[in-house]
Amino acid sequence: DAKTTQPPSMDCAEGRAANLPCNHSTISGNEYVYWYRQIHSQGPQYIIHGLKNNETNEMASLIITEDRKSSTLILPHATLRDTAVYYCIVRVAGGNQGGKLIFGQGTELSVKP
Amino acid sequence: GAVVSQHPSWVICKSGTSVKIECRSLDFQATTMFWYRQFPKQSLMLMATSNEGSKATYEQGVEKDKFLINHASLTLSTLTVTSAHPEDSSFYICSAPPSGGSGNTIYFGEGSWLTVV
């Protein structure tokens, strides 16, 4: 089972920041949080991942709480092309299973003009 | 950056026939690859773990004789849907983590649409 819970849907106005929350209260100390998004009929697109510290790249920022039980993905200036389903995933750690990503239901983000 | 490629992007086959889908890591080696299936308006469901040089590991409820997985090299895994039926019609996606390290970026293929008629 997925170790994350996310709201099923969110709306965001174009040009505003989109803040997508994720709960992962049972995360282990060596497990990473990954974010992907999926646009209809395409494979998941990698966004960002992190372990403890906040991370930022050209696509987004990832804020992880100090207790690591939740995180927030921030798209600083959402555009219509950011409309997609966003998945927050805790990566299974170690061995041959260390790459295994169990998907939950994700958050369907709709960016509106 | 690293890329995972799937082939074919879409395929139509007749009931009772078999169809093979390839997953390649283009500029990195992957000792492990993962196969997922996705039905319309649903999330991705992990089917199996493909292990280079050994047998695949299947998730509960996935028929290993139905979905044959072969990890022929460090850059290629194949999924063969045997004796396909219309209920096997789905979007099949693979992923590949670069070997080494649990904090690596994991890339997904573009997906393969299978329609069984």
Side-chain angles (χ1 to χ4, degrees):
Chain A
D1 290 342
K3 297 179 74 169
T4 61
T5 55
Q6 299 175 252
S9 63
M10 290 182 63
D11 289 342
C12 177
E14 187 178 18
R16 305 296 289 268
N19 297 286
L20 290 88
C22 179
N23 287 323
H24 32 79
S25 58
T26 61
I27 192 170
S28 299
N30 59 348
E31 291 178 328
Y32 284 73
V33 178
Y34 281 73
W35 283 84
Y36 287 81
R37 71 182 182 185
Q38 187 179 30
I39 298 169
H40 182 62
S41 301
Q42 298 181 21
Q45 178 190 20
Y46 168 79
I47 301 174
I48 200 166
H49 72 282
L51 182 63
K52 295 180 183 178
N53 300 322
N54 298 337
E55 302 289 341
T56 296
N57 62 21
E58 64 278 4
M59 288 184 69
S61 294
L62 174 60
I63 308 300
I64 302 174
T65 57
E66 193 169 342
D67 63 8
R68 302 188 69 238
K69 292 184 177 182
S70 65
S71 61
T72 301
L73 178 74
I74 301 172
L75 307 177
H77 305 287
T79 69
L80 298 179
R81 286 183 293 182
D82 292 323
T83 293
V85 178
Y86 287 76
Y87 295 100
C88 166
I89 305 164
V90 170
R91 177 178 178 177
V92 175
N96 284 345
Q97 303 297 305
K100 193 174 186 177
L101 299 176
I102 305 299
F103 284 73
Q105 295 306 307
T107 295
E108 187 167 6
L109 176 68
S110 296
V111 181
K112 300 182 182 299
Chain B
V3 177
V4 174
S5 177
Q6 281 185 240
H7 178 82
S9 299
W10 58 270
V11 58
I12 301 172
C13 72
K14 292 183 177 180
S15 288
T17 62
S18 297
V19 61
K20 181 186 291 187
I21 301 170
E22 294 184 346
C23 178
R24 294 181 184 273
S25 57
L26 295 186
D27 57 0
F28 65 95
Q29 294 182 337
T31 55
T32 304
M33 294 185 181
F34 299 90
W35 285 96
Y36 296 80
R37 180 167 59 177
Q38 185 176 33
F39 293 109
K41 298 193 179 299
Q42 295 186 21
S43 186
L44 283 76
M45 184 194 78
L46 179 66
M47 298 175 67
T49 302
S50 173
N51 303 301
E52 191 269 335
S54 64
K55 291 182 179 180
T57 306
Y58 291 82
E59 296 296 307
Q60 191 173 6
V62 178
E63 300 175 58
K64 58 182 66 177
D65 294 331
K66 173 78 172 173
F67 300 99
L68 301 180
I69 291 172
N70 182 26
H71 201 132
S73 73
L74 287 171
T75 59
L76 174 64
S77 174
T78 60
L79 169 69
T80 301
V81 182
T82 63
S83 186
H85 288 94
E87 56 265 31
D88 298 324
S89 299
S90 187
F91 190 46
Y92 292 88
I93 310 164
C94 69
S95 73
S99 299
S102 58
N104 293 337
T105 299
I106 301 170
Y107 296 95
F108 284 79
E110 312 95 324
S112 299
W113 282 101
L114 169 63
T115 301
V116 184
V117 298

